[in-house]
Amino acid sequence: MITYNRILAVVHPDTTEQPALCRAVEIAEKTGAAIDAILVVYDHSYDMTTMLTRAEREAMREAILKERETWLTTHFTGFKDVDINLNVVWSDTRYEAIIAFAIEHDVDIVIKATRNHNDLASIIFTPTDWHLLRKCPMPILLVKDHSWPEHGNIVATVNVGTEDKTHALLNDKVTTIAKDYADLLSGQVHLVNAFPSTPLNIAIEIPDFNPDTYYDSVRNHHLQNMETHSANFGISMTNCHVMEGVPENVVKQVTKNIDAELVVIGTVGRTGLSAAFIGNTAEQVIDNINCDVLAIKPDGFVSPVH
């Protein structure tokens, strides 16, 4: 059961069209949660210390904050007859300001609109939503241009073939939350699990290696574990998709085939070079599908942002 008390929606600074705020209102109407909206602003002219006095810099900052507060109040007060607490925060690091606000105000979920990223730019300049995926301790709902009709499909991405306890617990958490959202939206849950293809180098280097036997063995292993996992949550195997391939491609295919409204995915919050050059599955899924993605951290995750 979804029991949100407080939702944080991230406001896009350049448009009155606010998909994240619309989704926050939709969830709030179903849960009774309060909504905070946060707009993070910064002007790099503020750093020009050799050209501006301290008083001039502060006056400029206050003027920008006041203008943005007026813009927010003009466009979003009483948004769809729902009371929204509007907040303008001055920070040159957007994701840190969002996470710090979320932690300080004990929000239950952060909602942000997202869009596809340029691969090269994503490696050099990591987008705000990627930082949120890795570092925000509460669930992150990244919103795209897809409606949430009743009786829709909710996808839970799981790795039932894992022997790692942390990932197994995350499978359970992801499935539970997907079921909660299905109840909230009168929808149904689909479980998606990808298993790896047969390694070509093994097939070439080992003469007696039988790729068909290997494929059957791996597939059956995942199918059996999926049957156990789905039974634990009362989900029919007709709604379970066990497919060969990399997770982002499998999830993309399934969500397109069933026209999913929401994908729930676990992310372990990897950072550093491994995240930059390998990429988290969650991040690749987000760029590959055209529906909302809800990213869940494992229990006990501690954010590096305080």
Side-chain angles (χ1 to χ4, degrees), residues 1 4 13 19 78 83 121 125 135 148 159 161 176 178 247 258 262 275 277 283 295-296:
M1 179 179 178
Y4 295 153
D83 289 331
F125 304 105
K135 300 170 184 177
W148 275 15
N159 178 14
T176 298
I258 67 174
L262 174 66
F277 292 105
E283 293 163 2
I296 306 298

Side-chain angles (χ1 to χ4, degrees), residues 8 26 74 119 150 167 176 184 190 211 216 242 244 246 253 265 295:
L8 178 61
E26 188 173 356
T74 301
D119 290 340
E150 288 192 348
H167 280 83
T176 298
L184 188 72
H190 288 254
D216 290 340
V242 178
E244 178 184 20
V246 294
Q253 181 179 340
I265 187 168

Side-chain angles (χ1 to χ4, degrees), residues 65-306:
L65 286 171
K66 184 175 179 59
E67 187 276 329
R68 290 283 82 189
E69 288 170 357
T70 301
W71 179 77
L72 265 183
T73 303
T74 301
H75 292 289
F76 304 120
T77 298
F79 188 83
K80 287 193 175 181
D81 299 322
V82 175
D83 289 331
I84 301 172
N85 182 30
L86 304 175
N87 305 272
V88 181
V89 177
W90 180 269
S91 176
D92 63 343
T93 310
R94 193 176 182 212
Y95 78 89
E96 287 187 351
I98 294 167
I99 295 174
F101 185 97
I103 293 173
E104 180 182 354
H105 294 84
D106 195 26
V107 306
D108 298 295
I109 184 172
V110 176
I111 304 179
K112 181 185 177 296
T114 189
R115 56 190 177 188
N116 292 342
H117 311 120
N118 174 274
D119 290 340
L120 182 59
S122 295
I123 292 173
I124 300 174
F125 304 105
T126 307
T128 297
D129 44 350
W130 287 30
H131 276 299
L132 292 174
L133 282 170
R134 298 167 186 164
K135 300 170 184 177
C136 188
M138 56 281 298
I140 301 294
L141 178 61
L142 294 173
V143 178
K144 293 192 177 183
D145 296 326
H146 196 294
S147 61
W148 275 15
E150 288 192 348
H151 312 298
N153 294 311
I154 313 298
V155 169
T157 62
V158 294
N159 178 14
V160 294
T162 184
E163 296 181 358
D164 180 79
K165 184 177 180 181
T166 299
H167 280 83
L169 291 173
L170 193 55
N171 286 338
D172 293 344
K173 186 175 183 178
V174 165
T175 306
T176 298
I177 291 174
K179 283 178 63 67
D180 288 343
Y181 269 89
D183 291 340
L184 188 72
L185 303 174
S186 301
Q188 57 179 325
V189 175
H190 288 254
L191 299 177
V192 178
N193 179 91
F195 65 89
S197 303
T198 304
L200 293 178
N201 61 315
I202 296 179
I204 295 172
E205 295 172 5
I206 303 177
D208 295 332
F209 179 79
N210 187 322
D212 292 333
T213 301
Y214 177 88
Y215 170 86
D216 290 340
S217 176
V218 173
R219 182 174 182 274
N220 289 336
H221 170 73
H222 283 261
L223 277 172
Q224 290 169 6
N225 283 282
M226 178 64 88
E227 288 178 358
T228 301
H229 181 76
S230 62
N232 289 338
F233 290 91
I235 299 172
S236 169
M237 279 298 290
T238 58
N239 280 16
C240 296
H241 309 265
V242 178
M243 300 170 60
E244 178 184 20
V246 294
E248 55 268 26
N249 291 342
V250 170
V251 173
K252 177 183 178 181
Q253 181 179 340
V254 173
T255 55
K256 182 179 179 180
N257 290 345
I258 67 174
D259 191 25
E261 278 65 62
L262 174 66
V263 172
V264 185
I265 187 168
T267 175
V268 295
R270 184 171 45 185
T271 58
L273 288 176
S274 63
F277 292 105
I278 299 174
N280 283 341
T281 298
E283 293 163 2
Q284 296 178 42
V285 167
I286 288 165
D287 278 344
N288 271 282
I289 63 176
N290 191 32
C291 69
D292 293 4
V293 177
L294 179 63
I296 306 298
K297 293 291 192 309
D299 290 339
F301 174 82
V302 178
S303 174
V305 178
H306 303 287

